[in-house]
Amino acid sequence: MFFLSKDQVDRDVENLRRQTLSPEKLNAELKAQAKEKKRMQENVEDFTWKDVLAMTIAIIQVILPYFMVMISVMVLVFLYFYFMGTR
């Protein structure tokens, strides 16, 4: 609640910091940012089916125990009512 405009303050501080940099340091920083952006873009382009498979397996490992518990509870409830109904 108190930090509603924190992002704007951070952007303003970053703008002030850049404005006070010397031109050489500013150029070096811009080159470093461009290089980092290019590297990140290359990493995104290297996204293959193996990455999708790995993420799918990871999601299954997280979700599968919850499904097993839900299915077990449903089977137990079904068996409970089945045996109570046949007596």
Side-chain angles (χ1 to χ4, degrees):
M1 181 173 161
F2 295 111
F3 300 108
L4 293 177
S5 62
K6 184 177 184 312
D7 293 334
Q8 180 63 40
V9 172
D10 290 340
R11 284 192 299 262
D12 290 343
V13 168
E14 182 63 24
N15 286 337
L16 285 173
R17 186 186 69 77
R18 283 191 175 170
Q19 290 172 358
T20 59
L21 283 177
S22 67
E24 297 85 21
K25 287 185 180 181
L26 183 60
N27 286 337
E29 185 175 312
L30 290 176
K31 285 180 184 178
Q33 285 179 353
K35 186 185 291 185
E36 181 67 21
K37 187 175 180 180
K38 183 179 177 184
R39 187 182 65 82
M40 293 297 277
Q41 185 65 26
E42 288 172 355
N43 286 344
V44 170
E45 290 172 358
D46 292 340
F47 199 72
T48 63
W49 67 273
K50 290 181 181 180
D51 298 322
V52 174
L53 180 65
M55 286 187 281
T56 304
I57 291 171
I59 290 171
I60 288 172
Q61 286 180 347
V62 170
I63 295 175
L64 187 64
Y66 294 109
F67 282 140
M68 296 302 291
V69 168
M70 286 190 307
I71 290 170
S72 301
V73 169
M74 286 189 289
V75 167
L76 288 175
V77 169
F78 174 78
L79 291 175
Y80 173 76
F81 284 116
Y82 178 76
F83 287 124
M84 288 296 139
T86 58
R87 287 188 172 187

